Amino acid sequence: MDITALISALPGNVAQGLIWGIMALGVFLTFKILDFADLTVDGSLATGGAVTVMLILSGWSAPAALVAAFAAGILAGLATGLLHTLLGIPDILSGILLQLALYSINLNIMGGAANMALPVSQYQLLVSLRYIVPTIMVVAGIVIVLISVMYWYFGTEQGSAIRATGTNPAMSRAQGINIDLMKVIALALSNGMVAFSGGLLSQYQGFSDINMGRGAIVIGLAAVIIGEVIGNALFGKRMNFIIRLLFVVFGAILYYIAIGVVLWLRMPTNNLKMFTAIIVALFLAVPHLKDKANNSFAKAGRRGESIHDSAN
């Protein structure tokens, strides 16, 4: 194993982490802010990729295709939200139903093909696997703008209403907030970001695929949890909303660096999904184990003993 091979792969890992970090911000919106388990993202990521590739192949510019991908993601999120709020379908099942429907929709978008190539040399793209450093700069700029807009938006009256809906739906309803509307808006914005990320990813890798979103929710959760654990370890109670958003993207970068290390160690690629599940499980367990240790009877007993000894 050559360490230089690992180092040379790091820029590519960072580029992928930044692109998936945008998707993770969408997952953060539903999972952490809204407290909604949305599985639509596995389908809406592929929708963003399919829309972007097909529109670029039809002569659209790359930025315009990404705007259309964002709009397509918004429609997917709206559909999930309406299934949940109007028809009373549970949140997880609503996402599963849309994810299933989007599989067929994405196939139709790509003309029945399971994947569609996007020749990098023939089109002017925003990001590309061939140009890693410019890609990092472009996506980093997009991330900064996106986080700034999210920070502003969730400080507005509507953004605060969405946060209140996720924190305490019953109290929010009692205060006159239309929590169903807030859920629909949040789901639409979340899936819009996810589809936007899918559009960037399809440009970066040079194709869209019907299965490119499979397991996206796990990667998004991994980024959110990794970022939260590390952010809390570094900042504790000083970690405000904008720092939390930054660490979501940082978590995605760390995740892809970890994947790069796994590949560098020449571990079987068939086990990547298992490694992902283990990483997520470990980071999910850290806050629980930490709280359990801080609130344990044993620690309380030790505190009591230390107080008693100091008194004597």
Side-chain angles (χ1 to χ4, degrees):
M1 291 179 291
D2 187 3
I3 190 66
T4 57
L6 177 63
I7 295 174
S8 63
L10 283 179
N13 295 329
V14 172
Q16 273 195 293
L18 285 169
I19 292 172
W20 282 89
I22 297 174
M23 187 276 300
L25 288 172
V27 173
F28 175 82
L29 201 166
T30 52
F31 182 66
K32 283 295 183 179
I33 296 180
L34 191 62
D35 194 24
F36 189 103
D38 182 27
L39 300 182
T40 313
V41 296
D42 280 21
S44 58
L45 185 90
T47 301
V51 169
T52 299
V53 169
M54 296 307 293
L55 289 179
I56 291 177
L57 292 176
S58 299
W60 286 45
S61 66
L66 285 175
V67 172
F70 181 78
I74 285 179
L75 291 177
L78 282 173
T80 300
L82 293 176
L83 284 176
H84 176 65
T85 57
L86 289 184
L87 302 182
I89 300 174
D91 51 4
I92 293 179
L93 188 54
S94 298
I96 292 174
L97 289 174
L98 242 295
Q99 180 189 130
L100 184 65
L102 285 173
Y103 187 90
S104 296
I105 293 171
N106 295 337
L107 278 175
N108 287 319
I109 291 173
M110 293 191 292
N115 54 70
M116 189 64 64
L118 181 63
V120 177
S121 58
Q122 298 180 20
Y123 298 94
Q124 188 173 2
L125 307 178
L126 284 178
V127 296
S128 173
L129 185 59
R130 295 184 180 182
Y131 310 105
I132 297 296
V133 175
T135 291
I136 292 175
M137 296 174 63
V138 169
V139 182
I142 293 173
V143 167
I144 291 172
V145 171
L146 185 58
I147 289 178
S148 300
V149 172
M150 289 182 69
Y151 181 72
W152 165 80
Y153 175 71
F154 284 104
T156 64
E157 183 177 350
Q158 188 178 87
S160 298
I162 292 174
R163 296 171 71 175
T165 298
T167 302
N168 193 328
M171 181 60 71
S172 299
R173 189 189 296 274
Q175 295 296 321
I177 296 174
N178 187 337
I179 64 171
D180 287 345
L181 178 60
M182 295 303 106
K183 288 180 180 180
V184 171
I185 292 174
L187 286 165
L189 293 176
S190 169
N191 283 280
M193 285 189 284
V194 171
F196 185 88
S197 173
L200 283 173
L201 182 62
S202 65
Q203 291 185 49
Y204 176 77
Q205 62 191 13
F207 66 91
S208 63
D209 188 273
I210 192 66
N211 293 315
M212 64 184 288
R214 181 172 294 177
I217 184 63
V218 179
I219 298 174
L221 288 176
V224 171
I225 300 304
I226 291 171
E228 186 174 68
V229 169
I230 295 176
N232 282 328
L234 293 176
F235 290 92
K237 294 181 179 179
R238 294 175 299 161
M239 190 167 75
N240 58 23
F241 186 65
I242 196 166
I243 294 176
R244 194 177 299 272
L245 293 176
L246 287 170
F247 268 92
V248 169
V249 179
F250 183 62
I253 295 173
L254 286 182
Y255 170 81
Y256 269 93
I257 290 176
I259 293 299
V261 172
V262 169
L263 295 175
W264 176 70
L265 292 173
R266 297 180 182 176
M267 295 184 182
T269 55
N270 292 337
N271 296 330
L272 279 179
K273 296 295 184 183
M274 182 181 69
F275 292 138
T276 300
I278 292 173
I279 291 172
V280 175
L282 289 174
F283 277 92
L284 279 171
V286 167
H288 172 73
L289 295 176
K290 185 178 179 181
D291 291 341
K292 188 176 181 180
N294 291 337
N295 299 321
S296 64
F297 287 109
K299 188 169 184 178
R302 288 195 298 271
R303 287 176 179 171
E305 290 176 2
S306 62
I307 295 173
H308 178 72
D309 294 339
S310 61
N312 291 335

